[in-house]
Amino acid sequence: MNAMSAISTKGRMHFMVFTESFDANVMCRFLDRLAGHFDRKIHLVVDRHSAHRSRTVRDWPADHADQVELHFLPSYSPELNPDELVNADLRRSLPASSKARTQVQLASEARRFFHRRQRQPHIVRGYFHGPHVRYTLEENPFSF
């Protein structure tokens, strides 16, 4: 089971839980879904995962330049990625309450976690107060 999310300094969260391996096709599917939620351009900060750097993913924003622009973090800098705090929160939250015995059950619990966080924008905004990610709190006209 895998999950990915996009968060904003305004407390919005979008996510996708999936069972296949994370690759360029999954990333493009997420970008399609994310772009469909907005009527303006999205600026998405991503790490340098091989799927993010693939030709398929690099071509996707080129073909959708009016919808999404990707901004890459420096190599080996997960501490600069606020989404890593979401991942840590998910990992902390699931084991305590998890009754999952199958992949389907685990995916269901992960979705439940993300839906709960979507209704808690104050917690999502809090991810941006980590010491290494405060740079995102500067006046940002691109936040969704």
Side-chain angles (χ1 to χ4, degrees):
M1 195 257 347
N2 291 299
M4 60 189 309
S5 61
I7 57 175
S8 81
T9 57
K10 295 181 180 178
R12 291 187 66 178
M13 174 184 276
H14 297 272
F15 70 93
M16 185 169 81
V17 176
F18 52 97
T19 55
E20 65 265 41
S21 295
F22 179 61
D23 61 13
N25 293 328
V26 171
M27 181 63 183
C28 289
R29 199 168 77 226
F30 183 69
L31 292 172
D32 277 329
R33 289 178 56 180
L34 192 59
H37 287 282
F38 298 95
D39 58 356
R40 62 186 174 99
K41 189 172 189 173
I42 302 165
H43 292 262
L44 191 63
V45 176
V46 296
D47 60 21
R48 294 193 178 269
H49 187 282
S50 59
H52 298 153
R53 293 179 286 116
S54 70
R55 177 170 301 283
T56 304
V57 172
R58 282 183 290 149
D59 289 347
W60 193 96
D63 295 338
H64 300 84
D66 58 331
Q67 293 178 295
V68 175
E69 184 174 336
L70 299 181
H71 302 275
F72 288 90
L73 289 170
S75 296
Y76 306 108
S77 56
E79 72 280 0
L80 298 177
N81 188 349
D83 209 45
E84 291 296 333
L85 298 173
V86 177
N87 297 339
D89 190 14
L90 172 64
R91 285 190 298 272
R92 275 191 313 272
S93 297
L94 284 184
S97 63
S98 180
K99 296 179 178 98
R101 299 290 177 248
T102 67
Q103 187 178 42
V104 172
Q105 290 172 334
L106 184 59
S108 176
E109 289 197 19
R111 283 185 191 93
R112 193 173 308 120
F113 166 83
F114 283 115
H115 284 297
R116 186 172 52 249
R117 286 296 179 261
Q118 284 179 319
R119 293 185 305 273
Q120 298 169 318
H122 61 286
I123 293 177
V124 175
R125 284 190 302 270
Y127 295 135
F128 293 93
H129 291 284
H132 298 290
V133 295
R134 289 192 182 157
Y135 71 91
T136 59
L137 294 177
E138 296 172 6
E139 188 59 35
N140 184 354
F142 303 122
S143 189
F144 57 86

